[in-house]
Amino acid sequence: MSRNKSIVWLFAVVVVALFMSSCSPTKYVPDNSYLLDKVQIDAKGSSVNSADLTKHLRQRPNFRAFGLFRMYLAVYNMSGRDSTKKINRKLRSIGEAPVIYDPFMTYRSEKELQAYMKSKGYMNAQVASSVKYRKKKRAEVHYTIEPGIPYRIGKVECDIPNDRVMDSVLHLRGGLPNTKLKAGMLFDVDELDEERERLAKHLRRRGYYLFNKDYLNYTADSTVGDHAIDVTLHLKPFSKVLPNGEREETNHNRYRVRHIYVTEHSRSDSKSEEVKMDTSSYSNNMTVLFQDKPFLRPSVIDDELWIETDSLYNEFLVERSYSRLNSLGILRSSNIRFTDLQNDKHEVDCDIDLYPAKPQSFSVDVEGTNSDGDWGFGLNLGYAHKNIFRGSEVLSVKARYAQEACSGISDILHRYVLDLGGDVGITFPRFMFPFLKKDFKRRISASTGFDIRYNYQVRPKTYERKSLTGSMKYLWTWRRFYNYTLDLIDLNYVKIKTDRSFDSIYSADRYSVLRESYSDHLILSAGFSFAYNNQAQVTRSNKTYYRLAIESAGGLLNGICHLAVKKDEDDKEPYKIGHVPFSQYVKLEADYAYNQKLDTRNHLVYHIGMGVAVPYGNASVVPFEKRFFGGGANGVRGWSVRTLGPGRYSSDEYNDFVKQSGDVKLLMNVEYRTKLVWKAEAAAFVDAGNIWTIKNSPSQPNGQFNIKNFYKQIALAYGLGLRFDFSYFLVRFDLGVKCYNPANIGRNKKDAPDCDVHKGPWRFYGLNWKDDFALHFAVGYPF
């Protein structure tokens, strides 16, 4: 039995063992007691989300993985009754004890649900419960909520003391700015509280440094009838403490920033020791304190600060300053605080503490690969300096060595795929472009990256490839979740030397298009991508990611050549730069993912990805490294990487990675993720997709995209995954199974005697381990 198959069997045994344990979930349920097996809430006629109601239950059943198996309870039940044994204590600490039905907790749940419904405007809501006792010591609880007629907001009024400044900031004559409180909406206590916080933030962004939502409160008048409530917003005066200890109520004041003090702490600073600091003034309004020598240039700090002296306090600018400072790689952390000077001018001083991180780091990564039984390994070495010029510039140097066995080659000295590479890059934390004003560069909060890469690849009996790349790009973030990348220039020179055996196969005219991908070429491209990603936002239940990207190559060079060189109409030879033809194409890509939170331990994730690459002008084919491929850990996981497509093309003798690439990509995935024990997660997934060529190529029969029948060539796969989330990175194992293989459309046993394809493209039984399964190892989620 192969190692891959052993892993699958081990995984299956564990799942079966847990399932069998879950078949007797009442093992530790005492006599005359019941396991809380199911809870249902019926709140028909209300607009309240059922998931929100579930949060207010005092007792919920044991967690079910995939909504079916009580995984944690199963682990708990695997323990013995002798609690003195270490193994039993460990299993119980990992697992989850059975939830024993408690009538008092049901009563408390009724009251919690009723209180929550009232907070949402259903003042007359009534909650009742019923219990059904099943066989084998199980209980089901059903809550019925009669919401009644909801109360809605009638009028919204404001009671603000005579304060012209406050009136102008809140726009009281024109109504509250951007308010969500509207006549006719439900009388929702949470919405009213959010409005208080929103108004408080609105004021803190306009100079009211000491303002918080406790200065705002409501009165509600429900006597107007017809289930309406008039709401009045009140502003409390500011309570000021006088020198004699008495309190005086006054109007709220707006504060201005007087001076900024920046302290650069050393990594050896101790809070328990007095540290002597040197002082320098960068400008009239900013003072920098440091020990021995500042690790950041004052001009860099000034560029990242949005806070300005002699201006009104603005909480938004403070948050932006935090974000920009913490994005500097050299900083471990930063702290911004304000001191009320308590003078007649209502001024505050700003103190900023900067704590440095380790400026240098080294990394060593070892990786293993397995492609259709061919094992390989890779070694990655890295060095980074996060403050090379005292401006948080990041210098990175990387080196890579990898090799992989290549089956079918008898010469032991030449049976390995070899991959060598090096990368030197530097990133500046600012937008580097001439003639731009400081305010513009500050607003876009961009960084500029320069990179030089070299790669050397040898594939036995195929080719020897050398690649040299230089690039310059801009990266910036807007409003936290929006990320932009502008590849201003990406110059890539590829030199390829093909093997005689490769030339003997691809010398035929029908391989002419593919052969162009394996000749010397030059790529001068530029691109732009936009991405939105709120998956790091902890408070959001459902999360979204989408990305759009466009890349264009060769247009500028083609225009220059047209002006510089005159060609006859019959001359079909491509333009060349230094005897090397350059590529010309346009490439578009789009990705969308939606992560739906079912509960604290279960998520359902949807993903769709599309792409198209079109060669034109000076090229008849897109370079191989820019084409799409099917299968792999992030594609249709029933296929190994580069073994799917294009269309219904298939290579019977071996996986021909040269021909299995395309110009059009479509990928759709649905994945159910559930938390298991410790750091383990499980997943069940369904993948669909394929790649196609734009042109009809004799070397890739049945691979061209056709709008009329492409849907018949969409491959399907399903499978299970096991993941280990270590916070900073996630290790993933996915086992994919072919469900619908478009390569088998119209084929039969006679066409492929070694494959069980006589049943056509659908694969439900009689599966072959070698042909129908694929095991993937990867780092990070697939989408």
Side-chain angles (χ1 to χ4, degrees), residues 573-764:
E573 285 293 317
Y575 290 111
K576 297 181 179 180
I577 304 294
H579 305 291
V580 177
F582 58 86
S583 300
Q584 192 171 2
Y585 62 88
V586 173
K587 184 177 181 181
L588 300 170
E589 288 185 271
D591 274 282
Y592 174 82
Y594 182 74
N595 189 323
Q596 181 182 4
K597 182 179 180 181
L598 304 179
D599 54 47
T600 57
R601 294 174 176 173
N602 293 280
H603 292 258
L604 191 59
V605 188
Y606 311 87
H607 170 259
I608 182 170
M610 296 178 289
V612 59
V614 182
Y616 70 101
N618 203 58
S620 59
V621 64
V622 177
F624 178 75
E625 57 267 29
K626 298 294 183 178
R627 304 190 88 191
F628 301 110
F629 61 86
N634 297 325
V636 183
R637 283 165 281 185
W639 281 257
S640 298
V641 63
R642 298 185 184 276
T643 61
L644 172 63
R648 59 188 185 94
Y649 167 81
S650 176
S651 179
D652 294 329
E653 298 180 359
Y654 55 91
N655 292 325
D656 192 346
F657 73 98
V658 178
K659 289 185 266 185
Q660 295 194 277
S661 60
D663 310 307
V664 180
K665 176 186 75 171
L666 175 63
L667 177 63
M668 297 171 287
N669 314 83
V670 178
E671 184 169 283
Y672 190 109
R673 299 171 185 168
T674 185
K675 298 285 186 182
L676 297 180
V677 296
W678 187 50
K679 299 182 182 295
E681 299 180 6
F685 56 83
V686 176
D687 299 331
N690 207 336
I691 58 171
W692 293 267
T693 61
I694 289 180
K695 300 178 181 179
N696 185 20
S697 173
S699 59
Q700 297 167 297
N702 302 313
Q704 185 181 19
F705 181 85
N706 189 321
I707 192 67
K708 294 181 180 180
N709 61 12
F710 81 94
Y711 63 92
K712 298 179 181 179
Q713 301 172 2
I714 295 177
L716 293 177
Y718 59 91
L720 297 174
L722 183 64
R723 292 87 188 272
F724 297 93
D725 188 356
F726 297 100
S727 298
Y728 293 103
F729 67 96
L730 179 138
V731 177
R732 171 165 58 97
F733 298 89
D734 286 334
L735 178 66
V737 186
K738 291 183 177 69
C739 177
Y740 179 85
N741 187 355
N744 289 343
I745 296 176
R747 303 173 70 203
N748 53 44
K749 186 80 172 180
K750 183 178 180 180
D751 296 328
D754 295 332
C755 300
D756 183 19
V757 298
H758 59 286
K759 294 297 182 182
W762 291 101
R763 311 291 296 161
F764 289 117

Side-chain angles (χ1 to χ4, degrees), residues 53 56 81 352 376 452 477 593 685 692 752 755 761:
L53 289 170
H56 294 272
R81 297 185 181 276
I352 302 174
I452 297 177
T477 301
F685 56 83
W692 293 267
C755 300

Side-chain angles (χ1 to χ4, degrees), residues 540-561:
R540 185 179 291 272
S541 296
N542 300 326
K543 301 176 182 181
T544 304
Y545 166 82
Y546 56 84
R547 176 179 177 270
L548 300 172
I550 181 171
E551 180 181 344
S552 177
L556 178 61
L557 292 178
N558 193 54
I560 294 173
C561 289

Side-chain angles (χ1 to χ4, degrees), residues 459-463 498-515 518 649 651 653-659 698-699:
R459 189 174 182 90
K461 305 298 183 180
T462 308
Y463 64 82
T498 55
D499 190 86
R500 290 181 181 179
S501 59
F502 182 90
D503 293 336
S504 65
I505 296 174
Y506 292 99
S507 59
D509 291 339
R510 65 192 185 99
Y511 292 124
S512 59
V513 174
L514 286 174
R515 195 169 60 246
Y518 288 86
Y649 167 81
S651 179
E653 298 180 359
Y654 55 91
N655 292 325
D656 192 346
F657 73 98
V658 178
K659 289 185 266 185
S699 59

Side-chain angles (χ1 to χ4, degrees), residues 287-322:
T287 300
V288 181
L289 293 85
F290 56 90
Q291 184 182 4
D292 299 329
K293 183 180 180 180
F295 62 83
L296 272 177
R297 299 193 306 273
S299 59
V300 175
I301 301 172
D302 185 57
D303 287 341
E304 304 305 323
L305 284 181
W306 287 59
I307 305 168
E308 297 182 350
T309 56
D310 198 28
S311 63
L312 286 173
Y313 170 84
N314 188 327
E315 186 180 69
F316 172 74
L317 299 183
V318 176
E319 293 170 353
R320 290 302 301 268
S321 297
Y322 260 122

Side-chain angles (χ1 to χ4, degrees), residues 89-210:
R89 294 198 305 270
K90 186 64 177 178
L91 287 172
R92 293 190 179 191
S93 65
I94 295 175
E96 181 181 64
V99 178
I100 308 300
Y101 168 67
D102 186 343
F104 179 68
M105 288 299 178
T106 301
Y107 170 77
R108 291 190 60 184
S109 296
E110 290 181 16
K111 298 304 179 184
E112 291 274 356
L113 291 171
Q114 187 176 36
Y116 181 71
M117 292 295 293
K118 289 184 177 181
S119 72
K120 293 298 177 182
Y122 295 90
M123 302 298 181
N124 299 321
Q126 297 295 322
V127 182
S129 65
S130 60
V131 184
K132 292 182 179 179
Y133 298 98
R134 301 294 188 184
K135 296 180 179 179
K136 299 181 180 180
K137 299 193 288 188
R138 305 189 189 197
E140 297 180 3
V141 180
H142 186 271
Y143 295 93
T144 303
I145 300 176
E146 295 293 340
I149 301 175
Y151 279 75
R152 299 184 179 274
I153 292 179
K155 294 187 297 183
V156 180
E157 298 179 340
C158 297
D159 176 22
I160 307 295
N162 186 19
D163 187 335
R164 293 182 180 179
V165 177
M166 184 72 76
D167 288 351
S168 64
V169 172
L170 292 178
H171 308 289
L172 293 180
R173 294 183 180 180
L176 293 174
N178 303 318
T179 183
K180 293 183 179 180
L181 301 184
K182 307 292 183 182
M185 67 177 288
L186 286 174
F187 184 79
D188 190 328
V189 173
D190 292 330
E191 291 283 355
L192 293 171
D193 192 60
E194 286 180 11
E195 180 67 7
R196 293 169 62 212
E197 181 56 52
R198 190 193 65 80
L199 287 173
K201 181 180 290 187
H202 179 82
L203 291 169
R204 288 195 299 271
R205 289 184 174 186
R206 286 155 181 81
Y208 290 90
Y209 164 63
L210 297 175

